[in-house]
Amino acid sequence: MRFLLSRRFRIGLIVFSFIVFLASSLINAQTPPADYGAKGALKAPRITYEEALQYAIEDEYLAQERYKLVIQKYGQVFPFPKIQTAEKKHIEALERLYNQTDIEIPTNKAKDYVGMPSSIKVALQQAVQAEIDNIAMYNRFLEIKNLPPNAKKVFTNLRDASKKHLVAFNFGLSQQQ
């Protein structure tokens, strides 16, 4: 009997450790570094063009991954599928800017930083905030001195697209209440 209790205890300990590991992974997955994406861009004291490119592509990676997870869990809920497709185009536009420089395109680490939202309403709320931050980030980039004209055009287009995304997410959120 003593052996069985000991064995049960060990199995319980293993299960508990596994649950703690999974929970910590989910918590860590939802916490990008402070200097990543739009949040990083909005906190940085000064931004160079090269840094702007990195913040921008990181933020677009995050958005694409966030919306992909929502679609996987909740299905084709408006407006996520259309905007996820748009995020892919945003990334491609930024990759073209990278290809015009000698800077290597950063690895997409968004999967490490994006977690599954607890509901579609939470997903929409997160998307609204992400688009607000994205717009503010691009507005900040447009103030960079000596910004190349092609970058100015791309940043303007991406900011304007995010304004449309914000309208769509706000509309989706209003339908949830």
Side-chain angles (χ1 to χ4, degrees), residues 50-103:
E50 292 80 11
E51 291 167 333
L53 280 176
Q54 180 157 346
Y55 288 129
I57 203 161
E58 289 170 348
D59 205 60
E60 300 298 344
Y61 286 155
L62 283 172
Q64 184 183 45
E65 186 64 27
R66 195 177 293 122
Y67 305 155
K68 178 179 137 189
L69 285 177
V70 170
I71 293 165
Q72 285 175 354
K73 182 168 184 176
Y74 300 106
Q76 301 291 311
V77 177
F78 174 85
F80 289 100
K82 186 174 182 178
I83 295 179
Q84 184 201 13
T85 301
E87 298 301 344
K88 184 175 189 284
K89 292 178 182 176
H90 297 182
I91 291 166
E92 290 168 357
L94 291 166
E95 287 173 342
R96 285 191 294 275
L97 289 178
Y98 268 100
N99 290 332
Q100 296 167 5
T101 68
D102 289 333
I103 307 167

Side-chain angles (χ1 to χ4, degrees), residues 10-30:
R10 287 184 297 197
I11 291 171
L13 186 60
I14 291 168
V15 169
F16 176 76
S17 299
F18 183 71
I19 290 170
V20 168
F21 170 76
L22 286 178
S24 68
S25 296
L26 288 175
I27 290 168
N28 290 336
Q30 296 178 34

Side-chain angles (χ1 to χ4, degrees), residues 32-47 51-64 66-67 87 94 110 113-114 126-141 158-159 162:
D35 63 345
Y36 194 88
K39 298 282 188 196
L42 296 172
K43 290 180 183 176
R46 278 179 272 158
I47 298 176
E51 291 167 333
L53 280 176
Q54 180 157 346
Y55 288 129
I57 203 161
E58 289 170 348
D59 205 60
E60 300 298 344
Y61 286 155
L62 283 172
Q64 184 183 45
R66 195 177 293 122
Y67 305 155
E87 298 301 344
L94 291 166
Y113 306 132
V114 176
Q126 291 173 346
V128 165
Q129 187 58 56
E131 295 297 343
I132 289 169
D133 293 343
N134 188 269
I135 293 163
M137 174 186 74
Y138 284 119
N139 281 335
R140 182 143 190 237
F141 295 167
L158 296 180
R159 179 205 55 201
S162 289

